[in-house]
Amino acid sequence: MATKIILDTDPGIDDVMAILFAEAHAEIDLMAITTVYGNVAIDRATRNALYLKQKYQFSADIAQGAVGPLIKDPVGPTVAVHGESGFGDVAVPEVDGEIDTRPAYQYIIDAVTAQPNEITLVAVGPLTNLALALQAEPNIVNLVKEVVIMGGAFGVNDHRGNVTPYAEANVHDDPHAADLVFSAAWPVVIIGLDVTEQSFFSGEYLDQLRDDAAEVGQFIWDVSRFYLKFYKEKVGLDACHVHDPSAIAYVIKPELFTLSEGPVRVVTQGPAEGMTIQKFDGRQYFHDEWQMHTPQRVGVAVNDVELLEIYRQTIINYGHKMS
């Protein structure tokens, strides 16, 4: 039976790759897309989600979420990585489409209350909407099936940060929200840079996807041009890391990932703001800000070959279905 998910996202380029993956795979029932600021401002995020819904005839609801972080000043859109539109050089026209009247956090609360222990929350942007939902209705920790996060960096495989030496972008955008989400008494799986930077969509891989997956493959190729240019100029790769789609891959096939278990906290201020730290031992300490919190699971290894093949085959099948 397909896993019901609400996908919380700030639709930029790798978000497109993840959204289409979720919509395309038979093991996922994409119930809703809740939008959040991050790669783009909130109005643009919602517009991008509506555009994808209309373009590919999604049945998913769209609910607009937070405009900025809980406490800290906004960092602002990552135009250098995702372009002005969020979709690189691909222009996103104005689209007519209905969005749910509820704010994203309320949509999440209502959905999991109506279907207790059936819905997985998958968040691939800043975690503000999830934190707001927790603050408004703490009991949702008992109603959610699982929470899967693309975010964080724990130093495994030498991956420590991508916007500061020690912070990943989604967590850095709202560290207070991330700390609330990771500390809550619900089951969280964190798919961070430690594993997402172990997988690569190479230029050749994306070219092949364009050739084999009909219009859907062409669209992914089109939006990826800006992204690959950024990676080539700034990182020196003819490839991009598989960030947001890795969270979807976890929902489809968890055994692709090796996980480390232990409570997770987030540094919320200072030069290490946004740093994620997992306590992985059971030792008792005199001073321990982790001890009373729920052990969560963090990705530390991934079968990247199989992940890339699952993504490729899913998009090819979907492209043929939509053509």
Side-chain angles (χ1 to χ4, degrees):
M1 186 174 177
T3 300
K4 297 175 182 178
I5 75 167
I6 295 173
L7 181 54
D8 194 69
T9 174
D10 54 339
I13 294 167
D14 59 327
D15 302 75
V16 172
M17 297 169 172
I19 291 166
L20 290 173
F21 193 18
E23 173 68 15
H25 203 283
E27 293 298 318
I28 290 182
D29 176 5
L30 180 58
M31 294 181 57
I33 297 170
T34 52
T35 61
V36 68
Y37 70 92
N39 294 326
V40 288
I42 190 61
D43 289 345
R44 174 67 71 177
T46 303
R47 177 173 165 178
N48 289 353
L50 282 169
Y51 173 73
L52 290 175
K53 176 176 179 173
Q54 184 182 81
K55 182 176 177 64
Y56 294 108
Q57 299 161 17
F58 297 172
S59 62
D61 295 333
I62 308 288
Q64 182 163 297
V67 302
L70 295 180
I71 296 172
K72 73 175 283 186
D73 292 334
V75 173
T78 49
V79 175
V81 183
H82 297 275
E84 291 287 347
S85 75
F87 289 178
D89 295 318
V90 175
V92 181
E94 292 287 352
V95 290
D96 293 323
E98 291 186 6
I99 65 171
D100 197 279
T101 57
R102 293 165 288 183
Y105 80 87
Q106 190 63 53
Y107 183 97
I108 290 168
I109 292 168
D110 292 347
V112 300
T113 301
Q115 300 184 62
N117 305 119
E118 292 186 19
I119 298 173
T120 295
L121 304 181
V122 182
V124 296
L127 297 177
T128 316
N129 289 336
L130 273 63
L132 289 170
L134 281 169
Q135 289 177 330
E137 181 47 78
N139 190 51
I140 63 170
V141 298
N142 299 311
L143 302 175
V144 170
K145 180 180 178 182
E146 191 170 48
V147 182
V148 179
I149 306 295
M150 189 279 121
F154 294 83
V156 182
N157 304 314
D158 205 30
H159 301 304
R160 293 179 175 83
N162 61 359
V163 293
T164 82
Y166 291 99
E168 178 276 331
N170 290 338
V171 173
H172 184 262
D173 272 354
D174 195 345
H176 298 88
D179 195 47
L180 277 174
V181 170
F182 297 160
S183 298
W186 54 7
V188 177
V189 176
I190 304 170
I191 302 298
L193 302 186
D194 312 274
V195 286
T196 69
E197 291 190 349
Q198 294 294 104
S199 300
F200 300 88
F201 286 150
S202 68
E204 182 181 1
Y205 178 97
L206 292 165
D207 288 349
Q208 199 66 54
L209 203 62
R210 173 199 60 196
D211 295 343
D212 295 343
E215 190 280 335
V216 177
Q218 181 68 55
F219 182 67
I220 290 173
W221 189 88
D222 288 342
V223 299
S224 72
R225 296 306 87 197
F226 192 93
Y227 208 40
L228 260 66
K229 184 172 181 285
F230 169 82
Y231 269 88
K232 192 162 191 175
E233 291 176 355
K234 303 299 183 184
V235 189
L237 292 172
D238 181 28
C240 60
H241 294 126
V242 186
H243 291 307
D244 294 351
S246 291
I248 303 300
Y250 175 83
V251 177
I252 294 166
K253 194 167 185 179
E255 56 268 34
L256 292 172
F257 297 86
T258 302
L259 305 174
S260 170
E261 187 165 319
V264 174
R265 297 303 307 272
V266 180
V267 178
T268 56
Q269 59 185 355
E273 179 186 53
M275 184 178 185
T276 49
I277 307 169
Q278 182 177 46
K279 180 187 177 186
F280 51 84
D281 64 23
R283 181 178 165 185
Q284 300 286 326
Y285 294 86
F286 288 113
H287 306 285
D288 192 339
E289 295 294 331
W290 287 258
Q291 189 68 34
M292 300 304 294
H293 294 289
T294 302
Q296 309 295 11
R297 291 174 293 164
V298 171
V300 294
V302 60
N303 182 341
D304 60 311
V305 174
E306 188 173 359
L307 186 158
L308 292 172
E309 183 54 33
I310 290 171
Y311 188 87
R312 170 180 154 75
Q313 202 55 56
T314 300
I315 297 300
I316 289 172
N317 292 345
Y318 184 61
H320 291 167
K321 176 183 172 184
M322 297 300 293
S323 62

